[in-house]
Amino acid sequence: MSPFFFLLLCFSISHALPPPRGFFLNCGSSSSTNLNDIDYTPDQEFISVGNTTTIKQKDLIPILSTLRYFPDKSSRKHCYNFPVAKTSKYLIRTTYYYGNFDGKNNPPVFDQIVGGTKWSVVNTSEDYAKGQSSYYEIIVGVPGKRLSVCLAKNAHTLSSSPFISALDVQSLEDTMYNSTDLGSYKLSLIARNSFGGDGEIISYPDDKYNRLWQPFSDQKHPTVTSRSRINPSNFWNIPPPEAFVEGFTASKGKPLELQWPPFPLLATKYYVALYFQDNRSPGPMSWRAFDVSVNGLSYLRKLNVSTNGVMVYSGQWPLSGQTQITLTPAKDAPVGPVINAGEVFQVLPLGGTTNIKDAIAMEDLLESIKKPPVDWSGDPCLPRANSWTGLTCSKEKITRVISLNLTNLGLSGSLPPSINKMTALKDLWLGKNKLTGPIPDLSPMTRLETLHLEDNQLTGAIPESLAKLPNLRTLSLKNNKLNGTIPSVLLQRKGLTIQASPENMPSTNKTAQIRVANS
């Protein structure tokens, strides 16, 4: 279950700002809608698969009233693709409201994927039973110029279909969450709360980066209200001033013990950021001094909190089970400790990536052929269970395409010259399609062992460069529209079996197959 939820009513709007940078999609809708001064647009520009439907329920906010779902059981994943700036940083939020769209009264369970990394399992059952929608957030670095967000079936999806209601892709500043190497990790949100209040969620435009700060109240702790406003630009993560308005405190000389997040956590490492501000009017005595510990381990000693506010963080802090934050005041502190807000993210190791040359070659092939497999979107090789149909990939961290089998898939179009960038490819099987155009120069593909291009509509001469493939054992070219005969340099290759149409065979051999034996 996601620990985050939307009520089915709109957030309040406080004041207007320039629109946030990024992509904000009202999935399944044919028209734009405005929520909290953000324009959510239809999603069809960023995805070409799936069906759409409308949830017929009163009092839904607009982005929950439509959705896109993916009933295709043969597809390994369904991806949204976004053009982004190279080496950029984004916050991604996926929003789900089941609304019994399929009449089964049983929300589906499925995976969500960012790039080549499995992000999390989506299970909205508990939230939906309460009449609530669910959302998930992750912060990612993007090394290239394309960002993919994908949904995929898993063992628990059964006969139902993955779906999505809204998708936010929010650009972040370079300074934000910069203690984490986003080239090696991603940050999956566990909790983001403002402490002491029980009012509305803090969101855009109060937080200009469109983060959601859920109110967190605890009757065991007295609350305070700030008399001054922090400057967000003084903090790396640029938190909204509204997150500091209220906070928990304790009496002078007493520790503050806070169980937060309010649910047990898996045993792994987390990014933890805590935010503090002395609530009193600025002055020479407006400071609070205390130690911070997490689950009994010292997090920071002798923290001095003024009215300017301060953030303390750990990029990889081990947590397990219930978490307790303890603020222990200094002996001479005139007032007790205070805490205003906090964020916790699970640190997810990057799931690897497809070799950039292989990925570009596959994208070029995708653009060159018509009617490609519907799951040809996102990272070609990763996650491994969700690689593109027809691909077999290596098991390295930077994975390579080692086999491509698209036999008899009804493909048309041509082969791009860049296909020869896939230099780890051992088997290329494209037979029994309707491919046209010439055979490109494949000589850089020195690991290629089998090449099947039979039963297409390929034209032009049979390239002599095929003789430069030292490991080629099988070459099948029959039933095309190729000109001329097989080059003599190919006929002289030992250990190579060639299948070709009679008109392409040398005059001394019209058997449609030549095998040059090893010496």
Side-chain angles (χ1 to χ4, degrees), residues 188-339:
S188 180
L189 184 65
I190 299 299
R192 181 188 295 115
N193 292 100
S194 57
F195 298 137
D198 56 3
E200 296 171 336
I201 297 171
I202 299 170
S203 63
Y204 185 86
D206 293 325
D207 186 323
K208 67 178 183 178
Y209 299 100
N210 194 28
R211 290 167 295 188
L212 304 181
W213 300 75
Q214 299 275 358
F216 183 83
S217 60
D218 188 336
Q219 295 182 353
K220 294 185 296 184
H221 302 296
T223 60
V224 293
T225 301
S226 178
R227 299 180 185 178
S228 60
R229 187 176 177 88
I230 61 101
N231 182 354
S233 63
N234 291 337
F235 298 78
W236 285 353
N237 289 351
I238 318 180
E242 288 73 14
F244 292 79
V245 169
E246 295 180 285
F248 292 138
T249 189
S251 301
K252 178 181 177 180
K254 298 291 182 66
L256 191 161
E257 296 179 343
L258 176 66
Q259 288 196 343
W260 178 85
F263 41 79
L265 301 179
L266 295 174
T268 187
K269 292 184 178 180
Y270 295 83
Y271 175 101
V272 181
L274 304 175
Y275 301 88
F276 309 87
Q277 183 196 20
D278 191 332
N279 65 293
R280 296 170 294 171
S281 298
M285 297 300 293
S286 298
W287 55 271
R288 297 170 185 256
F290 49 88
D291 296 338
V292 182
S293 62
V294 177
N295 291 343
L297 299 176
S298 178
Y299 191 78
L300 187 68
R301 297 194 62 190
K302 298 181 180 180
L303 176 65
N304 194 331
V305 176
S306 71
T307 55
N308 292 327
V310 64
M311 177 189 85
V312 298
Y313 69 92
S314 173
Q316 293 201 22
W317 189 269
L319 295 175
S320 177
Q322 183 61 56
T323 303
Q324 178 165 293
I325 298 171
T326 303
L327 311 180
T328 305
K331 291 182 180 180
D332 58 346
V335 288
V338 67
I339 185 168

Side-chain angles (χ1 to χ4, degrees), residues 413-417 419 435-442 453 457-463 481-482:
S414 60
L415 299 179
I419 196 170
L435 299 173
T436 57
I439 299 172
D441 176 14
L442 304 181
L453 300 175
Q457 299 171 23
L458 298 171
T459 56
I462 299 172
K481 299 180 180 180
L482 298 168

Side-chain angles (χ1 to χ4, degrees), residues 354-366 380 418 421:
T354 299
N355 174 275
I356 186 65
K357 291 183 178 180
D358 286 4
I360 291 173
M362 288 304 304
E363 289 174 3
D364 289 347
L365 180 60
L366 172 63
S418 61
K421 302 297 183 184

Side-chain angles (χ1 to χ4, degrees), residues 9-204:
L9 302 175
C10 189
F11 306 126
S12 65
I13 299 176
S14 57
H15 55 275
L17 280 176
R21 295 175 296 148
F23 307 91
F24 307 93
L25 305 185
N26 187 11
C27 302
S29 177
S30 59
S31 59
S32 297
T33 189
N34 187 279
L35 178 66
N36 284 11
D37 285 349
I38 298 176
D39 288 325
Y40 284 80
T41 61
D43 64 344
Q44 58 262 32
E45 179 182 347
F46 304 96
I47 194 165
S48 59
V49 296
N51 300 340
T52 63
T53 192
T54 300
I55 305 298
K56 294 178 171 52
Q57 181 177 331
K58 294 181 179 180
D59 300 325
L60 286 177
I61 62 175
I63 62 170
L64 302 184
S65 62
T66 61
L67 58 80
R68 183 176 293 271
Y69 65 100
F70 305 94
D72 189 336
K73 293 180 173 56
S74 65
S75 181
R76 297 180 181 179
K77 58 186 171 187
H78 322 272
C79 298
Y80 288 85
N81 289 288
F82 301 94
V84 296
K86 193 174 182 180
T87 65
S88 51
K89 186 182 300 185
Y90 286 86
L91 179 151
I92 299 169
R93 179 161 57 245
T94 51
T95 303
Y96 304 94
Y97 183 64
Y98 171 58
N100 197 26
F101 76 91
D102 56 3
K104 298 179 180 180
N105 204 33
N106 185 22
V109 178
F110 50 92
D111 293 337
Q112 52 187 356
I113 299 164
V114 176
T117 302
K118 179 182 173 182
W119 166 10
S120 70
V121 173
V122 175
N123 187 347
T124 67
S125 300
E126 190 169 334
D127 288 340
Y128 178 66
K130 298 175 183 177
Q132 298 167 345
S133 65
S134 308
Y135 72 89
Y136 299 76
E137 279 188 21
I138 193 167
I139 293 174
V140 303
V142 186
K145 296 182 178 180
R146 181 173 295 183
L147 170 63
S148 64
V149 181
C150 311
L151 307 180
K153 292 176 179 289
N154 60 27
H156 303 287
T157 310
L158 303 177
S159 62
S160 53
S161 302
F163 72 96
I164 187 168
S165 303
L167 176 55
D168 297 40
V169 180
Q170 167 72 54
S171 178
L172 299 178
E173 306 295 340
D174 289 341
T175 62
M176 300 174 70
Y177 308 98
N178 64 356
S179 65
T180 299
D181 176 9
L182 293 178
S184 301
Y185 302 95
K186 302 180 189 296
L187 297 177
S188 180
L189 184 65
I190 299 299
R192 181 188 295 115
N193 292 100
S194 57
F195 298 137
D198 56 3
E200 296 171 336
I201 297 171
I202 299 170
S203 63
Y204 185 86

